[in-house]
Amino acid sequence: MLRQAYQRISQVSRGNSLSLSLNRNMASSSRRDLTDRVAIVTASTDGIGLAIAKRLANEGAKVMISSRKEKNVQRALEELHGTGLPKDRVKGVVCHVGSQTDREKLIDATLTNFGGVDILVSNAATNPHMGSVLDCSEEAWDKIFEINVKAAFLLTKELVPHLSKRKGSNVVYVSSIAGFQPFAVLGAYSVSKTALLGLTKVVAQELGPENIRVNCVAPGIIRTRFSSAITENQAINDKMMEMVPLGRVGEPEEIAGLVSFLVSDDASYVTGETYVAAGGQPSRL
Ligand SMILES: NC(=O)c1ccc[n+]([C@@H]2O[C@H](COP(=O)([O-])OP(=O)(O)OC[C@H]3O[C@@H](n4cnc5c(N)ncnc54)[C@H](OP(=O)(O)O)[C@@H]3O)[C@@H](O)[C@H]2O)c1
């Protein structure tokens, strides 16, 4: 009896690992259909934001990219158009998320070019202070919260009148694994990322009745300019990788894949959630 049960479990688990590996291959090659969706991705001229913009555009969305520097916006547009994405599907504008004027320009440019907005991916963040949290100046603390939390809140608030006109609209905030397990030298930044987990919950509750979903992603260590102090120093990188069961740094495209799921109708019953993509790095039970 026990032996039969064991054989059955072995068969099922062999089947599961086969289908898992098939699914993994499918996930890397399959594309969702975001045709006719319009997405704003902030801080999207480099790193994770650029990968998200590329992924959503490749899935058919019209995407408005943005960041603080005109030259970066132009470079990113050239890169995206250079991959074959049509110029009328990917456009860009300068937007420092901390500036109300810039946020208005971002929204206006999106409405003018694409006629509405379905998706906000709020990805911008800053970290002007490294070291003990109690050594963080008031100025640095305010800057961190202004860009990482307040700008995300304000942009959401400014976009709700437009998101509520569309079906299946949604917001994704980019938090961090540090929002669950603070990094010792990134104390204030970590607290700001924890705040986004709360913002996700509270805004999801309020916008649920309007059928606007609100979710969050918490990346682990991802290979970008932002994390280069870790990834380009072999000793620090090796030490950090001891915490990561997959034993490697993540790539921006691996966060883009998760965001693509959350903004799509595949996640139509998911709201108020934070998805961790951190190679197994401890976050929560
Ligand atoms: N990389 C990681 O390991 C990691 C881990 C967890 C979470 N995250 C989060 O992922 C997000 C993206 O980080 P990343 O690693 O992709 O960074 P990144 O590669 O350094 O790219 C940063 C992007 O943000 C833009 N930017 C910076 N400040 C901005 C502002 N105030 N307003 C608008 N755009 C701004 C930059 O362009 P301009 O200079 O032209 O403005 C650039 O396009 C952040 O929220 C970060 O906290 C990253």
Side-chain angles (χ1 to χ4, degrees):
M1 187 80 165
L2 267 177
R3 186 205 286 274
Q4 278 171 344
Y6 173 75
Q7 280 172 345
R8 177 70 194 129
I9 289 166
S10 308
Q11 279 165 2
V12 169
S13 66
R14 269 203 306 278
N16 279 348
S17 62
L18 181 63
S19 71
L20 269 179
S21 69
L22 284 176
N23 285 341
R24 197 162 38 231
N25 292 336
M26 283 166 66
S28 59
S29 60
S30 68
R31 289 286 179 264
R32 293 187 176 82
D33 184 8
L34 298 176
T35 310
D36 295 332
R37 303 290 172 94
V38 176
I40 288 177
V41 185
T42 67
S44 44
T45 60
D46 211 344
I48 293 171
L50 179 59
I52 293 169
K54 193 184 287 183
R55 174 83 188 223
L56 302 190
N58 271 312
E59 292 175 341
K62 293 169 183 156
V63 181
M64 184 61 70
I65 65 164
S66 61
S67 77
R68 293 168 302 179
K69 297 181 194 126
E70 174 71 33
K71 71 172 177 19
N72 290 344
V73 174
Q74 290 313 323
R75 184 196 28 75
L77 282 176
E78 271 170 36
E79 181 180 331
L80 293 168
H81 297 151
T83 66
L85 286 164
K87 288 192 175 169
D88 61 355
R89 204 192 304 154
V90 183
K91 300 220 172 247
V93 66
V94 168
C95 176
H96 183 320
V97 295
S99 154
Q100 190 187 348
T101 313
D102 278 8
R103 291 195 307 271
E104 278 169 12
K105 281 187 193 154
L106 171 65
I107 296 171
D108 286 350
T110 310
L111 297 177
T112 306
N113 281 285
F114 299 141
V117 191
D118 303 88
I119 295 161
L120 165 64
V121 182
S122 175
N123 172 63
T126 191
N127 179 50
H129 175 77
M130 277 186 84
S132 155
V133 68
L134 295 179
D135 289 337
C136 182
S137 67
E138 183 175 351
E139 192 190 6
W141 181 277
D142 285 346
K143 187 78 192 159
I144 289 169
F145 279 79
E146 182 199 336
I147 301 302
N148 301 9
V149 187
K150 187 171 149 192
F153 155 67
L154 289 174
L155 194 51
T156 307
K157 186 176 156 120
E158 290 153 0
L159 277 169
V160 165
H162 306 290
L163 294 172
S164 60
K165 290 183 187 150
R166 315 278 276 208
K167 273 196 184 141
S169 54
N170 64 85
V171 176
V172 174
Y173 298 120
V174 178
S175 173
S176 167
I177 189 74
F180 291 97
Q181 292 291 331
F183 288 169
V185 293
L186 297 177
Y189 167 87
S190 300
V191 180
S192 76
K193 292 298 188 178
T194 307
L196 287 178
L197 313 183
L199 185 68
T200 303
K201 288 278 175 212
V202 76
V203 182
Q205 271 175 7
E206 280 195 27
L207 294 183
E210 296 204 40
N211 210 17
I212 300 172
R213 298 183 297 106
V214 182
N215 291 297
C216 184
V217 294
I221 301 161
I222 307 300
R223 194 184 316 281
T224 68
R225 202 149 35 100
F226 191 77
S227 63
S228 56
I230 296 174
T231 56
E232 287 174 11
N233 179 316
Q234 194 67 46
I236 299 178
N237 189 71
D238 290 352
K239 187 79 197 147
M240 296 300 279
M241 286 309 111
E242 285 172 13
M243 296 187 300
V244 181
L246 287 186
R248 65 173 176 85
V249 169
E251 301 298 331
E253 292 71 22
E254 296 180 285
I255 304 305
L258 179 55
V259 172
S260 147
F261 161 67
L262 286 171
V263 303
S264 76
D265 288 344
D266 284 349
S268 55
Y269 201 50
V270 179
T271 194
E273 298 296 341
T274 297
Y275 279 62
V276 177
Q281 199 176 326
S283 56
R284 57 194 162 178
L285 281 179

